[in-house]
Amino acid sequence: MGACGTSLYDNDSTSDIRGDYLDKLKRGKTNEEATKELVDANMNIGDSEEEPLFWFALADTQWNYRRLLPEVKEKALFYLSQDKEWERWKESGKKKLSAWKRTLETLKGKLESPQPPIKKLSKYRFYQCKWN
């Protein structure tokens, strides 16, 4: 994982999950299809350190667009209840550990609150090139 800060999207993995999820929706996938494809692609890598980040990013992104699926919420809340996720930040010092804890507490509060109104996503427009 490449992390440059303590906010949720300050690392490569979570930014990629958010981008990939939104890309799939813009390409016309349903919420369920996009989620299944992401889970299938990411849960087979066997990286237990990255798994919580996957669920955090997917749950947060789905919540932001009012598409949070119950099983995604459940997984994210499970990992939010684990102290293990804090371990990666202990070596960075108390200040960063405290900031990461606040990030996770904010996410937990968000996931337990009502979702905002649904956000529409514009689908990609694909143009066919006409070659002479």
Side-chain angles (χ1 to χ4, degrees):
M1 167 187 83
C4 61
T6 57
S7 74
L8 184 58
Y9 297 104
D10 278 350
N11 74 63
D12 299 335
S13 298
T14 53
S15 291
D16 288 347
I17 294 302
R18 176 178 57 188
D20 291 349
Y21 171 75
L22 293 174
D23 181 64
K24 288 178 184 304
L25 293 179
K26 288 178 181 182
R27 290 179 182 272
K29 301 282 182 181
T30 66
N31 188 37
E32 291 75 10
E33 290 169 336
T35 301
K36 181 179 180 342
E37 287 180 12
L38 283 171
V39 170
D40 289 348
N42 289 278
M43 291 300 105
N44 297 328
I45 58 176
D47 189 344
S48 60
E49 188 174 299
E50 293 289 316
E51 187 171 352
L53 295 174
F54 170 84
W55 293 110
F56 297 161
L58 186 58
D60 182 67
T61 304
Q62 287 186 349
W63 188 94
N64 288 335
Y65 287 86
R66 199 177 197 304
R67 291 172 168 87
L68 182 57
L69 295 173
E71 58 271 19
V72 173
K73 178 181 178 179
E74 182 180 320
K75 281 287 203 176
L77 289 174
F78 168 77
Y79 284 112
L80 286 166
S81 72
Q82 307 295 308
D83 292 349
K84 182 180 175 187
E85 181 50 36
W86 301 348
E87 294 297 321
R88 76 173 77 224
W89 290 98
K90 281 188 177 179
E91 64 191 40
S92 299
K94 288 183 180 181
K95 189 174 181 180
K96 286 191 176 183
L97 175 60
S98 179
W100 181 241
K101 285 181 179 181
R102 279 193 307 276
T103 295
L104 297 182
E105 289 166 2
T106 300
L107 177 59
K108 184 176 187 230
K110 180 188 230 182
L111 296 178
E112 292 175 336
S113 70
Q115 294 181 70
I118 196 161
K119 287 186 184 177
K120 287 191 172 196
L121 285 169
S122 298
K123 300 223 186 307
Y124 290 131
R125 291 185 180 152
F126 295 100
Y127 298 99
Q128 186 174 11
C129 294
K130 295 181 182 180
W131 302 97
N132 291 336

